[in-house]
């Protein structure tokens, strides 16, 4: 076991949106190894390039104690190992723990007596101790809480958000013994200027993380359902929300597409555990169903708009502005924009997708979509503003409308343009 005066050698396993910013913060203060199995990712980082656009070349250069590797054996030189690999869901909406298990296996094979393994990946309560720890024990031959220890400190990274960096967000911490809980808390306190919150157990910290995004998911599901109802009534959802928002305790949520690797995924981890224990969650899954259906709902509204304007849906040329799961971020994982495109293609519309943030290669490999380089003026029957990228905001009404044919329709998912400048919005 270590105290903070010891010679801490840190390793961060998984250098995505969560792991890299964390490694950078620790790398400013102490020896930190950034490890990833993706050799190309490691090579790019060694050259000062972060393709997630979360960290600049200058920021990478300002980490005197940070090194990168894709060689698992290099982990043997670390004594505090932080696991930040993704925890997605599979096509059946069940937790996919394969990356977490693989990372635990790699860590276990390189674990030394006295080491501390801290998990940041979002999981259901109990996963660290019931799934990860046995793998560490099996691979290392060491005994938990005697030869090595564990902690859990859930990630709170918000991709694309430059106002709330890793150091500016309060960090929940926990440990497998009271002493380790203190150590983990003090370790993060060295880099988290916003402060820390020490939870009484690993399970408590896991549960806190998984409900953060479940709460947001349900609130967005509520306003999405309200948007559907208000469209039937014939009132503008944004105007209703503005009016209701004048009350001090009204929550400022807006309707939209709920994708990405957090809000659209994490609730399924909690519902999976609940069902495993014999309880069928109703409210959480109802919210998930509403949010999962919004892409198709948008597409159906486009089809109605085209028909009302006597534009044939079959062969209609449709431009979708934005593919990423959120604005000003290149991440296309679990984006719900794909649901809009797929549904429109089912009706034989010709769909172009333009996104200056997304990678063409990733769009092609993940979704079979060939992104266009630039929208052509006067080409489209329908234009859908699906993501609120700053580039689209800067375009304004005239520029966006210029992509359309003389007769065209605009559907604004993200309230970028004024209500009177578009034909419909959520």
């Amino acid at each position: 076991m270590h105290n903070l005066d010891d010679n801490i050698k840190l390793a961060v396993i998984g250098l995505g949106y969560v792991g890299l910013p964390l490694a950078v913060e620790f790398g400013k203060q102490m020896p930190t190894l950034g490890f990833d199995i993706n050799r190309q990712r490691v090579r790019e980082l060694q050259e000062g390039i972060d393709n997630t656009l979360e960290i600049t070349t200058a920021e990478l250069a300002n980490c005197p104690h940070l090194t990168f590797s894709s060689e698992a054996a290099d982990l043997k030189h670390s004594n505090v190992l932080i696991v930040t690999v993704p925890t997605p869901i599979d096509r059946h909406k069940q937790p996919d723990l394969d990356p977490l298990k693989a990372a635990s296996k790699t860590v276990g094979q390189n674990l030394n007596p006295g080491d501390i393994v801290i998990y940041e990946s979002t999981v259901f309560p109990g996963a660290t101790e019931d799934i990860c720890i046995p793998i560490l024990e099996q691979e290392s031959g060491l005994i938990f809480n005697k030869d090595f220890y564990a902690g859990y400190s859930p990630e709170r990274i918000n991709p694309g958000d430059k106002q709330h960096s890793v150091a500016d967000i309060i960090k929940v911490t926990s440990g497998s013994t009271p002493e380790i809980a203190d150590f983990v808390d003090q370790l993060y306190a060295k880099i988290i200027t916003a402060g820390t919150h020490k939870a009484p157990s690993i399970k408590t910290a896991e549960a806190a993380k998984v409900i953060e995004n479940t709460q947001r998911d349900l609130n967005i599901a509520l306003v999405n359902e309200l948007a559907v109802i208000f469209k039937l009534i014939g009132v503008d959802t944004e105007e209703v929300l503005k009016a209701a928002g004048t009350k001090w305790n009204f929550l400022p949520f807006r309707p939209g597409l709920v994708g990405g690797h957090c809000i659209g995924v994490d609730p399924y981890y909690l519902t999976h555990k609940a069902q495993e224990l014999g309880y069928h969650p109703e409210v959480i899954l109802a919210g998930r169903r509403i949010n999962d259906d919004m892409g198709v709902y948008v597409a159906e509204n486009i089809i109605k708009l085209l028909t009302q304007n006597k534009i044939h849906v079959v062969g209609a040329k449709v431009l979708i502005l934005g593919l990423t799961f959120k604005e000003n971020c290149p991440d296309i994982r679990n984006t719900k924009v794909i649901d809009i495109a797929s549904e429109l293609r089912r009706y034989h519309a010709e769909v172009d997708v333009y996104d200056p943030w997304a990678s063409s290669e990733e769009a092609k490999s993940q979704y079979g979509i060939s992104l266009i380089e630039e929208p052509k003026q006067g080409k489209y029957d329908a234009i859908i503003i699906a993501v609120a990228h700053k580039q689209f905001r800067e375009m304004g009404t005239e520029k966006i409308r210029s992509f359309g044919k003389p007769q065209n329709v605009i559907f604004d998912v993200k309230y970028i343009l004024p209500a009177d400048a578009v034909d419909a919005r959520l």
Side-chain angles (χ1 to χ4, degrees):
M1 199 174 85
H2 316 279
N3 62 54
L4 285 185
D5 297 324
D6 282 341
N7 185 22
I8 295 173
K9 293 187 175 67
L10 207 86
V12 177
I13 294 95
L15 298 174
Y17 286 87
V18 175
L20 182 62
L22 189 72
V24 164
E25 288 302 321
F26 276 119
K28 293 173 184 175
Q29 297 193 31
M30 63 187 75
T32 303
L33 174 69
F35 173 83
D36 202 289
I37 57 172
N38 184 334
R39 292 179 183 275
Q40 184 183 342
R41 171 76 166 152
V42 168
R43 278 196 301 270
E44 287 175 358
L45 290 171
Q46 286 169 335
E47 292 165 9
I49 300 162
D50 169 29
N51 61 29
T52 68
L53 307 181
E54 291 297 302
I55 304 294
T56 65
T57 302
E59 286 171 320
L60 279 171
N62 193 32
C63 300
H65 308 292
L66 179 60
T67 57
F68 298 104
S69 175
S70 54
E71 299 298 330
D74 290 341
L75 296 172
K76 282 187 183 293
H77 306 300
S78 303
N79 49 27
V80 178
L81 303 102
I82 303 179
V83 178
T84 58
V85 296
T87 42
I89 51 172
D90 63 21
R91 61 193 181 92
H92 303 297
K93 303 192 189 304
Q94 293 297 306
D96 176 6
L97 295 174
D98 287 347
L100 193 63
K101 289 176 179 176
S104 297
K105 187 172 181 179
T106 299
V107 169
Q109 289 167 351
N110 296 281
L111 207 58
N112 299 306
D115 285 358
I116 300 172
V117 184
I118 304 168
Y119 287 89
E120 288 214 3
S121 306
T122 303
V123 290
F124 49 78
T128 299
E129 290 154 302
D130 298 343
I131 293 170
C132 301
I133 298 302
I135 295 172
L136 294 176
E137 286 188 314
Q138 183 180 336
E139 295 298 328
S140 67
L142 302 175
I143 299 169
F144 178 50
N145 276 344
K146 179 186 173 193
D147 301 323
F148 75 94
Y149 305 87
Y152 183 80
S153 181
E155 59 91 358
R156 277 180 167 169
I157 296 292
N158 190 23
D161 184 348
K162 303 307 177 190
Q163 309 307 124
H164 301 92
S165 69
V166 62
D168 302 324
I169 306 169
I170 293 172
K171 199 91 162 74
V172 174
T173 66
S174 63
S176 57
T177 70
E179 295 77 21
I180 293 299
D182 288 342
F183 170 83
V184 172
D185 193 65
Q186 290 165 34
L187 176 70
Y188 280 104
K190 290 173 81 71
I191 65 162
I192 307 293
T193 54
T196 58
H197 174 92
K198 187 171 63 174
S201 68
I202 286 175
K203 264 188 189 174
T204 303
E206 289 169 327
K209 170 58 188 176
V210 85
I211 69 164
E212 284 174 23
N213 287 326
T214 301
Q215 185 185 66
R216 282 183 58 75
D217 193 39
L218 281 169
N219 277 299
I220 298 167
L222 173 62
V223 292
N224 273 337
E225 188 163 62
L226 292 174
V228 173
I229 294 168
F230 293 148
K231 187 170 284 293
L232 293 171
I233 292 171
V235 292
D236 186 276
T237 304
E238 173 74 350
E239 294 303 329
V240 174
L241 293 174
K242 276 183 189 172
T246 57
K247 188 164 187 262
W248 76 92
N249 59 355
F250 187 84
L251 301 175
F253 285 91
R254 289 294 182 271
L257 305 172
V258 183
H261 48 94
C262 289
I263 301 177
V265 170
D266 295 355
Y268 287 120
Y269 275 75
L270 188 57
T271 57
H272 165 81
K273 187 63 179 177
Q275 288 165 329
E276 199 178 69
L277 296 170
Y279 177 76
H280 182 74
E282 297 189 33
V283 175
I284 297 170
L285 288 174
R288 280 280 72 239
R289 281 193 296 274
I290 290 168
N291 286 342
D292 273 348
D293 289 345
M294 288 309 289
V296 171
Y297 174 76
V298 169
E300 287 171 349
N301 275 275
I302 301 295
I303 290 159
K304 285 177 188 173
L305 268 178
L306 288 168
T307 305
Q308 286 162 1
N309 284 272
K310 299 180 180 174
I311 301 170
H312 289 294
V313 176
V314 174
K317 291 182 168 51
V318 180
L319 172 65
I320 299 179
L321 294 174
L323 177 64
T324 62
F325 89 89
K326 66 178 292 189
E327 65 274 8
N328 307 325
C329 164
D331 197 344
I332 62 172
R333 284 179 294 173
N334 194 35
T335 175
K336 292 301 170 186
V337 178
I338 194 68
D339 295 351
I340 303 175
S342 299
E343 187 69 8
L344 289 170
R345 283 176 174 152
R346 280 187 59 225
Y347 285 84
H348 304 290
E350 295 176 18
V351 181
D352 282 352
V353 181
Y354 173 62
D355 193 319
W357 284 83
S359 156
S360 296
E361 293 76 19
E362 282 185 28
K364 189 70 177 171
S365 64
Q366 283 194 42
Y367 301 112
I369 281 184
S370 298
L371 296 176
I372 61 168
E373 287 189 20
E374 195 79 35
K376 289 181 180 172
Q377 293 201 334
K379 177 180 179 180
Y380 299 100
D381 298 293
I383 300 161
I384 305 164
I385 306 168
V387 186
H389 288 320
K390 60 186 179 186
Q391 288 93 333
F392 303 154
R393 290 187 183 279
E394 288 163 3
M395 280 179 181
T397 305
E398 199 175 322
K399 175 77 170 174
I400 291 174
R401 187 67 82 170
S402 75
F403 299 138
K405 293 177 181 176
Q407 187 185 9
N408 65 73
V409 297
I410 294 182
F411 192 103
D412 188 356
V413 176
K414 299 298 294 185
Y415 300 94
I416 282 183
L417 302 181
D420 58 3
V422 300
D423 299 277
R425 52 187 193 168
L426 273 183

